[in-house]
């Protein structure tokens, strides 16, 4: 048996591996199985190009065995194998290993636990857990002699001829350290293999049992995958027994090689009270797991998805630290996100019932995406669903459908926010729009103003909230020309009096034709915070700046006509009545900060009227 020294750089690397603290020792199993898979793939290519391959009939497999008593783990393959020269080159010197680059990166990072394998030095990770390693290998070349390599990972290694009957491929016998003896226990190794190597493209035999029975369906043509296979794969990766609501199977060759299968669950766990979900889309490279839950693989608003993304363009075993700041990962994220948005768009077009179910369960994520992913906002806006004045209760519509129904003299899209459809249907803000035959969209979830106001436009048409000041509407025919109304002089007298009586409270007091039923409406001034934003600031314990809404009176309302009369004859009663009308308008607009004041004023107004 000949003793040979490691190259200096290899000794430095092994010193890092052996003496550094590793929180994730199981990575060495992943590395060796990945190397075995590569060796099998190379042998398969040789069989296509070479006429003479040693043991051509031998099946391409990976065999893994444990021995608790001896505290050993063996990982063997029937792949391409190595000659004696290749053993020295790949396992004892710097050639082709990337060891020098690894050492430079390790010095920069201050450690190596996240870098093992990144530069092609995955084999050396075995010394995280091994006291001694024996490699027995036979090349695919018929005339090559089998070789036995032994090292304790210290100064060098022993090299000798292996038995003549050594089969083709490579077998790695790992003598485990005392504190790594759990890698000789079947249950633990089975867990590690299931975590990292379930989808390796070659059969894995573990202690005589075929292990990787779940296929990597994301690498197959979707025409060759049945619905039962999709469901079975979803059950496996999502740890559930149900069916997915929908799935997307996506492959691309350019600009990045990608294969992906993503699933939407039938139920939203966040709506079921399980708290905020975590991303559940795993990242693979050549069917080898890189990270089971990478934080930045997809945007946060897609956290409801389960599935797999596999990219051959990623460096195998890229570290988690590098994943956090990797331009290629950001490009992958952008491609997958755009493709999933397209999938939802096609689902909405071709299977409206399934999309409606998706929307009712997961629509809040689409809204979150509109707010947080500005680059996807235009396409996400097409996925929004809501009720409107033109739909029956419970029936949903879209902005695209809304635009198709717009009147010839209508230039904007009109929306109204509130707690429920029932509340909005009684809103005084609807009066002017209904009278003109214009449709109004109802948005009834707490964050909707942030979402829709953030859009600003759809299909080049402005989106306008009808409870805001400055809303311009086309003129409307006077349907009741003989009805009593304040003339221009009386209207100015009233609004001037209210402005003075409630000095510095309102940005503007006017009369309007935007209301036909209520005596008055409150309008959010252009620079004022919305009620929703004010509520958010209060919830966060922040100071809420003072707002100055506009008040607009209905000049045809009998109560307003009476107010104008009282303003000149009974100022005290007029002030109580004006306060009642104004506070009611503010309450209906969600702008009344102290509802108790309305009740108190109501009592004073009643007492005044009863004592007249």
């Amino acid at each position: 048996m000949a003793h040979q020294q490691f190259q200096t750089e290899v000794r430095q690397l092994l010193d890092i591996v052996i003496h550094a603290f590793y929180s994730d020792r199981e990575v060495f199993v992943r590395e060796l199985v990945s190397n075995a898979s590569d060796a099998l793939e190379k042998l398969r290519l040789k069989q296509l190009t070479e006429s003479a391959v040693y043991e051509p009939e031998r099946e391409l497999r990976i065999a893994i065995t444990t021995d608790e008593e001896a505290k050993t783990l063996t990982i063997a393959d029937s792949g391409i194998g190595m000659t004696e020269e290749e053993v020295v080159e790949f396992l004892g010197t710097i050639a082709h290993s990337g060891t020098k680059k690894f050492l430079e990166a390790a010095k920069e990072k201050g450690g190596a636990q996240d870098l093992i394998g990144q530069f092609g030095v995955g084999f050396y990770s075995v010394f995280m857990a091994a006291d001694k390693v024996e490699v027995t290998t036979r090349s695919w070349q018929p005339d090559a002699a089998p070789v036995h390599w032994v090292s304790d990972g210290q100064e060098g290694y022993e090299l000798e001829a292996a038995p003549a009957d050594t089969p083709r491929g490579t077998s790695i016998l790992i003598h485990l350290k005392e504190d790594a003896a759990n890698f000789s226990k079947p249950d633990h190794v089975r867990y590690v293999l299931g975590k990292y190597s379930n989808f390796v493209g070659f059969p894995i035999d573990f202690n005589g049992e075929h292990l990787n029975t779940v296929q990597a369906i994301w690498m197959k043509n979707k025409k060759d995958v049945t619905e039962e296979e999709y469901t079975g794969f979803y059950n496996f990766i999502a740890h559930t027994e149900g069916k997915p609501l929908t799935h997307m199977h996506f492959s691309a060759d350019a600009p990045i090689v990608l294969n992906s299968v993503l699933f939407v669950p039938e139920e939203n766990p966040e709506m079921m009270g399980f708290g905020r979900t975590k991303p559940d889309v795993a990242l693979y490279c050549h069917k080898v797991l890189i990270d089971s839950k990478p934080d930045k693989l997809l945007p946060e608003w897609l956290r409801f998805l389960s599935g797999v993304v596999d990219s051959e363009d990623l460096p195998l075993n890229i570290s988690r630290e590098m994943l956090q700041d990797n331009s290629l990962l950001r490009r992958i994220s952008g491609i997958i996100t755009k493709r999933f948005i397209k999938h939802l768009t096609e689902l909405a077009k071709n299977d409206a019932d399934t999309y409606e179910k998706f929307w009712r369960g997961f629509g809040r994520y689409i809204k979150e995406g509109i707010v947080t992913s500005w680059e996807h906002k235009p396409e996400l806006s097409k996925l929004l669903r809501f009720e409107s004045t033109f739909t029956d209760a419970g029936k949903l519509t879209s902005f695209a459908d809304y635009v198709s129904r717009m009147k010839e003299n209508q230039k904007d899209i009109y929306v109204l926010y509130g707690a429920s459809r029932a509340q909005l249907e009684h809103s005084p803000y609807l009066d002017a729009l209904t009278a003109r035959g214009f449709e109004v969209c109802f948005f009834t979830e707490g964050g909707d103003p942030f979402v829709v106001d953030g859009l600003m436009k759809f299909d080049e048409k402005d989106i306008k909230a009808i409870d805001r000041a400055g809303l311009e509407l086309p003129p409307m025919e006077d349907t009741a020309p003989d009805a009593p109304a304040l003339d221009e002089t009386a209207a100015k007298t009233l609004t001037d009096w209210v402005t003075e009586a409630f000095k510095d409270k309102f940005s503007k007091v006017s009369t309007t034709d935007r209301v036909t039923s209520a005596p008055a409406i409150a309008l959010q001034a252009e620079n004022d915070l919305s009620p929703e934003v004010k509520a958010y600031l209060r919830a966060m314990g922040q100071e809420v700046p003072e707002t100055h809404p506009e008040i607009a009176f209905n000049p045809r309302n009998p109560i307003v006509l009476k107010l104008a009369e009282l303003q000149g004859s009974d100022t005290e009663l007029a002030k109580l009545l004006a306060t009642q009308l104004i506070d009611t308008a503010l309450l209906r607009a969600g702008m009344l900060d102290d509802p108790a004041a309305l009740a108190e004023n109501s009592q004073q107004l009643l007492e005044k009227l009863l004592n007249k």
Side-chain angles (χ1 to χ4, degrees), residues 57-361:
E57 74 286 346
R58 190 169 185 220
E59 188 177 2
L60 303 184
R61 303 183 75 83
I62 299 171
I64 300 173
T65 55
T66 57
D67 188 332
E68 285 192 79
E69 185 175 344
K71 294 186 176 62
T72 63
L73 172 67
T74 302
I75 299 177
D77 66 73
S78 56
I80 197 169
M82 291 179 283
T83 64
E84 181 175 344
E85 292 77 13
E86 288 170 335
V87 169
V88 173
E89 182 180 6
F90 292 125
L91 302 187
T93 71
I94 198 170
H96 302 299
S97 68
T99 311
K100 189 172 183 178
K101 291 182 180 179
F102 172 87
L103 291 171
E104 293 171 356
K107 289 177 182 177
E108 291 179 7
K109 302 294 183 183
Q113 58 265 39
D114 284 334
L115 298 171
I116 283 292
Q118 185 187 323
F119 299 104
V121 297
F123 169 77
Y124 298 119
S125 65
V126 70
F127 288 103
M128 289 192 292
D131 269 334
K132 183 173 72 171
V133 176
E134 298 184 52
V135 178
T136 305
T137 183
R138 183 169 199 147
S139 171
W140 65 274
Q141 302 174 52
D143 297 332
V147 183
H148 185 230
W149 180 96
V150 182
S151 178
D152 59 4
Q154 300 298 318
E155 294 298 319
Y157 56 90
E158 307 292 336
L159 197 63
E160 64 179 352
D165 60 352
T166 298
R168 185 198 67 228
T170 300
S171 175
I172 303 173
L173 174 60
I174 305 160
H175 300 268
L176 296 161
K177 298 176 181 179
E178 284 295 328
D179 62 354
N182 58 328
F183 288 100
S184 67
K185 296 179 178 179
D187 288 346
H188 182 66
V189 177
R190 182 189 295 273
Y191 161 76
V192 175
L193 292 171
K195 180 178 180 181
Y196 290 108
S197 306
N198 253 310
F199 306 111
V200 169
F202 298 93
I204 296 178
D205 293 332
F206 178 61
N207 290 338
E209 173 191 353
H210 182 48
L211 196 63
N212 54 337
T213 57
V214 181
Q215 291 185 314
I217 64 172
W218 67 86
M219 302 298 289
K220 299 173 68 174
N221 189 314
K222 57 185 175 183
K223 295 179 180 178
D224 299 328
V225 184
T226 66
E227 288 301 317
E228 290 74 18
E229 288 177 310
Y230 281 122
T231 298
F233 184 70
Y234 170 68
N235 294 159
F236 176 78
I237 63 170
H239 308 290
T240 182
E241 295 181 356
K243 290 184 177 181
L245 179 62
T246 181
H247 70 268
M248 180 190 81
H249 190 165
F250 169 66
S251 299
D253 295 324
I256 298 173
V257 178
L258 284 175
N259 293 279
S260 177
V261 174
L262 299 177
F263 298 93
V264 177
E266 272 202 308
E267 303 292 340
N268 180 355
E270 290 187 10
M271 292 180 66
M272 298 168 66
F274 289 103
R276 191 176 182 86
T277 59
K278 295 182 180 180
D280 194 26
V281 177
L283 180 63
Y284 282 74
C285 178
H286 290 287
K287 296 183 283 189
V288 175
L289 181 67
I290 302 298
D291 195 336
S292 61
K293 295 181 184 295
D295 290 335
K296 297 184 179 180
L297 176 58
L298 291 176
E300 181 68 15
W301 60 272
L302 285 177
R303 62 187 178 276
F304 60 90
L305 291 174
S306 295
V308 167
V309 173
D310 191 315
S311 174
E312 297 179 13
D313 292 322
L314 274 173
L316 187 62
N317 308 318
I318 184 172
S319 71
R320 289 187 179 184
E321 185 176 86
M322 288 189 66
L323 276 177
Q324 300 305 310
D325 187 29
N326 184 273
S327 59
L328 180 58
L329 190 70
R330 289 193 291 273
R331 291 173 65 195
I332 291 172
S333 176
I335 292 170
I336 295 294
T337 300
K338 287 180 181 178
R339 188 59 187 84
F340 185 72
I341 293 173
K342 182 181 178 182
H343 170 75
L344 291 178
T345 302
E346 293 171 348
L347 183 68
K349 178 181 178 181
N350 301 323
D351 188 352
D353 290 343
T354 299
Y355 182 76
E356 181 174 336
K357 188 173 181 180
F358 166 81
W359 177 258
R360 294 190 185 280

Side-chain angles (χ1 to χ4, degrees), residues 428-429 486 494 497-498 502 505-506 509-511 515 517-523 549-567 572-592 597-603 605 609:
Y429 300 108
L486 295 177
L494 174 62
W497 175 78
V498 172
F502 298 88
K505 187 172 182 180
F506 306 113
V509 180
S510 64
T511 56
V515 59
S517 56
I521 54 173
L523 302 169
E550 293 187 15
I551 294 295
F553 289 98
N554 176 1
R556 299 185 183 279
N557 186 273
I559 301 177
V560 175
L561 294 173
K562 186 63 176 179
L563 174 62
E565 179 185 328
L566 288 171
Q567 171 260 318
E572 183 180 355
L573 180 57
K575 182 69 180 291
L576 289 172
L577 180 56
T579 300
Q580 190 71 17
L581 298 183
I582 290 169
D583 283 355
T584 299
L586 291 171
L587 180 68
R588 299 183 76 171
M591 301 181 191
L592 186 63
L598 176 62
E600 183 177 345
N601 187 80
S602 298
Q603 182 175 336
L605 178 60
L609 292 172

